[in-house]
Amino acid sequence: MVNPGSSAQPPPVTASTLSWKRCAGCGGKIADRFLLYAMDSYWHSRCLKCSCCQAQLGEIGTSCYTKSGMILCRNDYIRYVSSYSSDSIAPIVTRK
């Protein structure tokens, strides 16, 4: 099921608003040229990682998965929740 509580597209990012975005992973300011928007939050591309294998999710696909508060890559998600059906999928959006 696609993450029903969130919008598919992030709010617009402009040069004037970019400086105050905070990374949901490390809490630091995002001043990078690229940032990710997933799970209703902004992330440094290096900070959005699978909770199990630590793969950088922006590099391995366009979706991340959640279960029990964890953010997972597709492979770990399938492995972790193969017996459950109430799961969430959220798109990763790369912004310049």
Side-chain angles (χ1 to χ4, degrees), residues 9-69:
Q9 294 296 318
V13 176
T14 63
S16 62
T17 62
L18 183 59
S19 62
W20 62 267
K21 300 294 183 209
R22 294 243 174 228
C23 175
C26 70
K29 287 184 180 179
I30 301 176
D32 300 350
R33 181 174 178 170
F34 296 98
L35 60 114
L36 300 176
Y37 185 79
M39 312 307 297
D40 294 327
S41 297
Y42 289 95
W43 302 77
H44 290 112
S45 57
R46 68 184 175 273
C47 292
L48 185 59
K49 297 179 182 180
C50 174
S51 298
C52 290
C53 70
Q54 300 302 308
Q56 290 185 355
L57 298 176
E59 293 182 0
I60 62 170
T62 58
S63 295
C64 62
Y65 302 77
T66 63
K67 184 65 180 177
S68 301

